[in-house]
Each structure stands twice: as structure tokens, then as C-alpha cells.
Amino acid sequence: MRVRWDEAKRQRVLAERDIDFGQLNDLFYIPYLEDQRSGNPEQYRIIGFVDGKLITFIVEYRVDELGEYIWIVTAWRSTKQECRNYEQQIY
């Protein structure tokens, strides 16, 4: 699936949190947790390991003339509660 983002936001998150939006694809090759975060707009939370750190991405599934793609809204190091949720669901 294609992944897109706002480049200025990617640079800000990379500088402030040391998380690169481009790493989302790496997360799909190992177990990850996905749930709906909000309904308007419809956003999803994806939690998984990237470079040995548990990371949370907020994404939207969008469609353009080429089909569906993932739009990354933001990302952060997973909170303690998100870590617990991941452990409970994945292990």
C-alpha cells in the first residue's frame, strides 16, 4: 500500500521525536496492533516496533485517482498504556 504524508510535518516529528514517517512500512512486517482512534475524520492508531522502539502512528485511509493509500497524521513513542495494550493483544 502507498504511504503519504505532509513533508513539513514529517520533518517536525523527526526533529522533535526522532521518528521518521517513512518507517511505517517497516512496522507492517512484524506483529502490530491497529484500532480506530476517532470517527470524524476516521483515524486509526497503529502500534508496533520500529528500530527496537514501540511507536504509535495515527493514520487515515484515503483514496485518490490511483486508489487507496495511507496518510500519516503523526507519530510518537508509545505511551505506557499503549505498551500495555500492545502486550495484551499481541502476546
Side-chain angles (χ1 to χ4, degrees):
M1 167 131 357
R2 293 178 301 133
V3 178
R4 298 178 62 195
W5 55 76
D6 175 89
E7 185 59 27
K9 178 81 176 258
R10 175 185 167 265
Q11 291 297 327
R12 215 169 31 253
V13 170
L14 185 58
E16 294 172 4
R17 303 176 188 160
D18 194 30
I19 299 169
D20 188 346
F21 287 176
Q23 294 174 303
L24 177 67
N25 281 326
D26 298 343
L27 187 143
F28 293 129
Y29 294 100
I30 56 176
Y32 65 92
L33 176 65
E34 181 175 3
D35 60 11
Q36 189 165 356
R37 174 80 172 183
S38 67
N40 191 15
E42 195 169 282
Q43 294 183 335
Y44 295 85
R45 177 176 63 175
I46 300 175
I47 303 171
F49 280 95
V50 175
D51 288 337
K53 300 173 278 197
L54 201 57
I55 304 296
T56 298
F57 287 88
I58 302 299
V59 303
E60 297 174 358
Y61 292 95
R62 296 183 178 180
V63 178
D64 64 10
E65 63 279 351
L66 298 176
E68 189 173 56
Y69 65 93
I70 297 173
W71 178 261
I72 300 176
V73 176
T74 192
W76 59 79
R77 288 186 188 223
S78 300
T79 66
K80 289 180 183 179
Q81 182 61 50
E82 289 167 335
C83 291
R84 282 193 291 274
N85 291 347
Y86 180 86
E87 289 173 1
Q88 290 171 350
Q89 297 292 321
I90 300 300
Y91 296 115

